[in-house]
PDB file of all heavy atoms in Angstrom:
ATOM      1  N   VAL I 176      46.998  23.602 175.416  1.00 86.00           N
ATOM      2  CA  VAL I 176      48.325  23.077 175.730  1.00 86.00           C
ATOM      3  C   VAL I 176      49.059  24.051 176.647  1.00 86.00           C
ATOM      4  O   VAL I 176      49.705  23.657 177.620  1.00 86.00           O
ATOM      5  CB  VAL I 176      49.126  22.840 174.441  1.00 86.00           C
ATOM      6  CG1 VAL I 176      50.565  22.482 174.763  1.00 86.00           C
ATOM      7  CG2 VAL I 176      48.487  21.742 173.617  1.00 86.00           C
ATOM      8  N   ALA I 499     100.019  56.692 166.388  1.00 40.00           N
ATOM      9  CA  ALA I 499     100.785  57.219 165.263  1.00 40.00           C
ATOM     10  C   ALA I 499     101.928  56.283 164.949  1.00 40.00           C
ATOM     11  O   ALA I 499     102.269  56.037 163.802  1.00 40.00           O
ATOM     12  CB  ALA I 499     101.316  58.592 165.610  1.00 40.00           C
ATOM     13  N   SER I1135      87.475  51.232  53.422  1.00 70.00           N
ATOM     14  CA  SER I1135      88.605  51.411  52.504  1.00 70.00           C
ATOM     15  C   SER I1135      88.138  51.246  51.054  1.00 70.00           C
ATOM     16  O   SER I1135      86.982  50.918  50.798  1.00 70.00           O
ATOM     17  CB  SER I1135      89.679  50.381  52.838  1.00 70.00           C
ATOM     18  OG  SER I1135      89.137  49.104  52.661  1.00 70.00           O
ATOM     19  N   ALA I1270      75.915  64.592  43.333  1.00 42.00           N
ATOM     20  CA  ALA I1270      76.954  65.547  42.976  1.00 42.00           C
ATOM     21  C   ALA I1270      77.114  66.602  44.056  1.00 42.00           C
ATOM     22  O   ALA I1270      78.242  66.945  44.441  1.00 42.00           O
ATOM     23  CB  ALA I1270      76.600  66.195  41.640  1.00 42.00           C
TER      24      ALA I1270
END
Side-chain angles (χ1 to χ4, degrees):
Chain I
V176 172
S1135 61

